[in-house]
Amino acid sequence: VQQIETVKWSDAADPGTVPASWTPEPGNEAGDAILATELGGLVDGEVLRDQFIIYRQHSCAVVSYVGGQFVFSFRELYPNIGIQHLNCVVEHRGQHWLFADDDCFAHDGNTVTSIIDKKNRNVLFEALNPDNKQLCQVVSRTETDEIWFIVGRTDSEYQETALIYSFVERVWGVRALPQTKFVSAGIIPNEQPDPTWDGSPYGAWQDDPRWWNQANYSISNNQLLMAAYADARLYHVDELNTEDGSPVQSYVEKLYHTIGGADNIWENNLIRSIYPRFTGTEGTEIQIRIGASRATDEPIQWNAEQTYTIGQSSYKIDSICHGRYLHMRFSSSGGDPWQLHRIGIEHVPLAKY
């Protein structure tokens, strides 16, 4: 029988051992508690420092150890914040990150913050299949300080989209997934064989910089594995610059940019050139498109695509267009990593109308 309102716990046990009993009896600490279901049934739970947070469909509660007759105490934490499904909460840097009913939150047990902007919220929830919420996940990628919010498309039985939040940069990105069923973080060992006395790639033994008996994996960085059901494969995320042998398709875009900020939203501008600053492997080709529009409900008038080669091209891209809103898209299909740091814009103000 499914009991969506009941929390049960076992008798105390040493770490790594099986509890002696789950049945409440005099002399042990096993027990149970029934929580109100007005705010939804129990979904999942996650440790936060010395507390355990229980998440319902539309609320969450704090569980604290108090000992004695009651063993644990329960109190409401956020009465209006729950999670979509199992695996929709993860701990990262002392906070819980939640895929909630209609938002994405981070909280430390005291302060709760919405972390997603309106545009990305629309992308995430338009992709959500309400009949397949078991595909929803939140995953922490510690090696890159990212939180992945994963959904399946409305017409799919697989996970196909991840909205990725960068903890350091405070920005969002979107990544297509290879029809996965589950994504998980863990420690992945290096498959290289252990070094031998005679097989050092550095030549003489005294020239080998490696430590003897060093671990062939990092115990500090969890890496991601994706279980792709349709392909019957496990994918190691970003181990190489390819997607199952094909070059990674990557892009960055900025749409409906108003020069001068929101105060100048009615100002028309003539765009003459942009000055992008890239870093990456010399020879990497970036495709650049510049466009403009006069209103948010008008189609974007894109100029012809131009190629910028890192380390070889001029420092600017000439592309003349005019309008209230500037649109820029930078893409690459070669698979080599690259970064866009900033963009300078050469423009001339025009009349408002």
Side-chain angles (χ1 to χ4, degrees):
V1 178
Q2 189 178 33
Q3 298 176 308
I4 62 172
E5 76 288 348
T6 303
V7 179
K8 295 187 177 184
W9 60 89
S10 71
D11 189 17
D14 292 330
T17 63
V18 178
S21 175
W22 285 78
T23 303
E25 295 176 343
N28 73 17
E29 291 192 314
D32 58 63
I34 297 177
L35 305 185
T37 58
E38 289 86 354
L39 299 175
L42 304 179
V43 179
D44 205 346
E46 184 73 28
V47 173
L48 182 62
R49 295 186 296 277
D50 59 346
Q51 297 176 325
F52 188 73
I53 312 296
I54 289 178
Y55 291 94
R56 304 186 186 96
Q57 293 164 328
H58 309 297
S59 66
C60 55
V62 177
V63 184
S64 301
Y65 179 78
V66 295
Q69 177 183 356
F70 299 103
V71 187
F72 289 101
S73 69
F74 298 80
R75 66 175 176 86
E76 291 296 327
L77 181 59
Y78 304 120
N80 300 313
I81 298 176
I83 59 174
Q84 293 280 350
H85 202 271
L86 190 69
N87 299 314
C88 285
V89 55
V90 71
E91 190 278 335
H92 183 80
R93 287 185 173 266
Q95 293 180 297
H96 277 186
W97 301 76
L98 319 177
F99 191 170
D101 293 338
D102 57 359
D103 211 331
C104 296
F105 294 103
H107 77 84
D108 59 4
N110 296 305
T111 303
V112 60
T113 305
S114 172
I115 59 170
I116 193 167
D117 57 80
K118 184 177 179 180
K119 176 184 175 182
N120 285 297
R121 184 186 296 114
N122 290 340
V123 172
L124 182 64
F125 284 92
E126 286 174 3
L128 173 64
N129 185 344
D131 297 324
N132 257 343
K133 287 189 176 182
Q134 69 270 19
L135 297 176
C136 298
Q137 264 192 274
V138 182
V139 182
S140 167
R141 190 180 181 198
T142 56
E143 62 176 332
T144 54
D145 244 352
E146 295 172 348
I147 310 296
W148 289 32
F149 294 83
I150 300 172
V151 293
R153 291 285 181 185
T154 54
D155 57 349
S156 175
E157 57 180 319
Y158 307 109
Q159 297 171 328
E160 294 188 340
T161 304
L163 266 74
I164 301 173
Y165 180 72
S166 170
F167 181 87
V168 176
E169 303 293 340
R170 299 294 197 270
V171 295
W172 287 87
V174 180
R175 182 167 185 157
L177 303 182
Q179 293 189 325
T180 59
K181 282 288 191 178
F182 196 76
V183 179
S184 183
I187 297 172
I188 302 174
N190 186 346
E191 295 182 355
Q192 297 298 321
D194 291 332
T196 62
W197 291 97
D198 314 344
S200 171
Y202 297 92
W205 176 85
Q206 61 267 27
D207 296 328
D208 195 324
R210 295 171 297 177
W211 301 341
W212 290 103
N213 295 325
Q214 74 181 52
N216 63 346
Y217 57 87
S218 170
I219 61 174
S220 60
N221 287 335
N222 280 353
Q223 301 177 58
L224 294 190
L225 280 179
M226 302 188 294
Y229 179 82
D231 297 339
R233 294 183 179 184
L234 281 175
Y235 289 107
H236 184 185
V237 175
D238 292 344
E239 172 68 7
L240 300 172
N241 296 328
T242 62
E243 292 180 339
D244 195 23
S246 300
V248 174
Q249 311 288 316
S250 58
Y251 74 92
V252 175
E253 67 179 11
K254 176 67 174 178
L255 304 180
Y256 299 100
H257 175 67
T258 55
I259 297 175
D263 293 339
N264 294 319
I265 193 171
W266 299 112
E267 297 286 350
N268 279 292
N269 283 275
L270 173 66
I271 309 300
R272 291 178 171 172
S273 305
I274 66 167
Y275 298 76
R277 180 173 176 248
F278 295 102
T279 57
T281 305
E282 183 173 353
T284 298
E285 293 185 346
I286 311 296
Q287 309 303 317
I288 300 177
R289 294 194 74 185
I290 308 298
S293 62
R294 288 175 50 84
T296 56
D297 58 352
E298 290 185 0
I300 299 172
Q301 302 299 315
W302 290 102
N303 287 349
E305 190 173 77
Q306 300 185 55
T307 299
Y308 182 100
T309 304
I310 294 178
Q312 299 175 18
S313 294
S314 171
Y315 58 91
K316 71 172 183 173
I317 294 291
D318 294 322
S319 185
I320 296 177
C321 57
H322 64 87
R324 293 194 181 99
Y325 298 101
L326 173 63
H327 313 274
M328 297 170 283
R329 182 181 176 93
F330 308 86
S331 62
S332 173
S333 58
D336 291 322
W338 54 277
Q339 290 182 303
L340 174 61
H341 296 276
R342 58 175 177 264
I343 307 167
I345 302 172
E346 182 180 342
H347 67 98
V348 177
L350 301 176
K352 288 188 175 182
Y353 299 101

